[in-house]
């Protein structure tokens, strides 16, 4: 009887851990694929920091344009691509994908290429959301394709640089 109870408790703990991992992945995947409910957009960086390992602090911070690169403990998949690096810019959350070229990503996602080279290829998927793909001029990212969601709303103007708490202090 005691062994059955112990086995049952261990099963419940394993299921709870798996559900937590899926919840972490789900938030990040929903954000990357433009499926995040609008009410959750404003607090996305804080929610990721609180729930996804690897979002406690950026691996690297960039300026001009401002963006933070995060290294995940385990790779995440979105749009059929997998990476363990995620980049956040004000209004954008992106996978940093190695080993593919931008034209292939644009074709696979059916994105429209902008007339101006400095603008990302995109596909509007909602009133205030678009799937975007581009390359960054930043040295550490130049070989990677950045693919994810652009949230075209004021509440997505997330502070970048340092922890979420630091950014919120600067915004006040």
């Amino acid at each position: 009887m005691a062994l059955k109870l112990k086995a049952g408790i261990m099963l419940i703990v394993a299921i709870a851990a798996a559900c937590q991992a899926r919840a972490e992945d789900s938030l990040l995947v929903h954000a990357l694929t433009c499926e995040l409910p609008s009410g959750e957009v404003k607090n996305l960086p804080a929610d990721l920091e609180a729930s996804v390992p690897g979002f406690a602090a950026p691996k690297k911070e960039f300026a001009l344009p401002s963006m933070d690169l995060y290294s995940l403990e385990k790779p995440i998949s979105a749009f059929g691509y997998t990476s363990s690096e995620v980049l956040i810019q004000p209004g954008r959350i992106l996978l940093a994908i190695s080993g593919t070229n931008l034209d292939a990503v644009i074709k696979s996602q059916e994105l429209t290429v902008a007339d101006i080279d400095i603008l990302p290829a995109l596909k509007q998927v909602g009133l205030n959301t678009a799937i975007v793909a581009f390359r960054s001029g930043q040295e550490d990212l130049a070989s990677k394709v950045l693919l994810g969601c652009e949230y075209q709303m004021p509440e997505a103007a997330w502070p970048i640089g340092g922890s979420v708490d630091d950014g919120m202090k600067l915004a006040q």
Side-chain angles (χ1 to χ4, degrees):
M1 176 78 163
L3 286 174
K4 286 184 180 179
L5 181 61
K6 187 175 182 179
I9 290 171
M10 290 175 63
L11 179 61
I12 290 170
V13 169
I15 291 170
C19 289
Q20 176 65 25
R22 263 183 262 142
E24 294 166 1
D25 291 352
S26 179
L27 173 63
L28 184 52
V29 170
H30 281 103
L32 286 163
T33 58
C34 298
E35 296 172 358
L36 194 65
S38 61
E40 295 180 26
V41 170
K42 182 177 184 177
N43 296 321
L44 179 63
D47 291 344
L48 289 171
E49 184 176 320
S51 66
V52 179
F55 271 89
K59 171 183 167 182
K60 183 150 186 159
E61 298 174 3
F62 299 93
L64 301 173
S66 297
M67 48 190 167
D68 289 343
L69 180 65
Y70 294 88
S71 183
L72 305 177
E73 291 181 1
K74 60 181 181 164
I76 190 90
S77 294
F79 302 113
Y81 295 93
T82 301
S83 179
S84 60
E85 293 183 316
V86 174
L87 203 107
I88 293 183
Q89 293 182 294
R92 292 182 183 151
I93 181 163
L94 310 149
L95 277 178
I97 307 164
S98 298
T100 190
N101 69 46
L102 181 59
D103 291 336
V105 171
I106 290 169
K107 184 177 180 181
S108 74
Q109 301 307 309
E110 300 175 348
L111 305 179
T112 302
V113 178
D115 292 335
I116 303 171
D117 287 343
I118 60 171
L119 296 177
L122 67 85
K123 176 170 64 174
Q124 203 71 35
V125 293
L127 183 61
N128 297 312
T129 55
I131 298 170
V132 295
F134 59 98
R135 286 202 181 274
S136 170
Q138 299 287 354
E139 184 177 323
D140 293 355
L141 299 172
S143 65
K144 298 177 183 182
V145 173
L146 305 177
L147 171 66
C149 188
E150 179 176 273
Y151 291 92
Q152 304 159 336
M153 52 191 83
E155 57 269 28
W158 306 303
I160 301 299
S163 76
V164 171
D165 289 338
D166 294 341
M168 293 304 198
K169 289 174 189 170
L170 289 174
Q172 294 177 350

